[in-house]
Amino acid sequence: KVFLSFAAVVAVAVAVPANYEPIHVGPALVDTYEPIHVGPALVDVDNYEPISVGPAIVDTPSAQSTPLVQIILNINQATTASAVEAPVYNPQPAEIVEKPVAPTPVIVASPIIPAPVVTLPEILN
């Protein structure tokens, strides 16, 4: 395994890209100009053939062939599975004991009321 992984690392390290071609980021140069037609398609009346959207109708039925997937079940009748015990069902309702929830104290501080800032003249300071 070590030799194969070493050989793989060497093969990747030695690999050299062939036929280097730089990436062109400029506009594409086109030799022949063909305008884009945005109008409706013009259909020649002589060669008009309607499109069939229904199911395909085949005259000859296909020959039956072997199935693509074949399932083979090998069941050994001599061995039997060990018996599995059913879980015990207790039809009695469960007892629910409710514990009282003690309220946590809430500390309410004096509210901060926003007030406009008033600057006093220097004489009063």
Side-chain angles (χ1 to χ4, degrees), residues 10-124:
V10 169
V12 170
V14 175
V16 178
N19 297 335
Y20 173 75
E21 294 180 10
I23 298 173
H24 300 287
V25 292
L29 301 176
V30 181
D31 294 335
T32 59
Y33 172 74
E34 295 180 12
I36 298 173
H37 300 287
V38 292
L42 301 176
V43 178
D44 188 12
V45 178
D46 298 332
N47 295 331
Y48 176 72
E49 189 173 315
I51 298 172
S52 175
V53 293
I57 299 172
V58 179
D59 294 334
T60 59
S62 62
Q64 286 287 11
S65 62
T66 59
L68 295 176
V69 177
Q70 186 176 17
I71 299 174
I72 299 173
L73 299 176
N74 292 328
I75 301 174
N76 190 356
Q77 297 293 337
T79 60
T80 59
S82 62
V84 178
E85 295 181 16
V88 178
Y89 175 69
N90 187 2
Q92 306 299 328
E95 293 183 23
I96 299 174
V97 179
E98 293 185 11
K99 296 180 181 178
V101 178
T104 57
V106 177
I107 300 173
V108 179
S110 61
I112 299 173
I113 300 173
V117 177
V118 178
T119 57
L120 298 175
E122 288 293 323
I123 298 171
L124 297 176

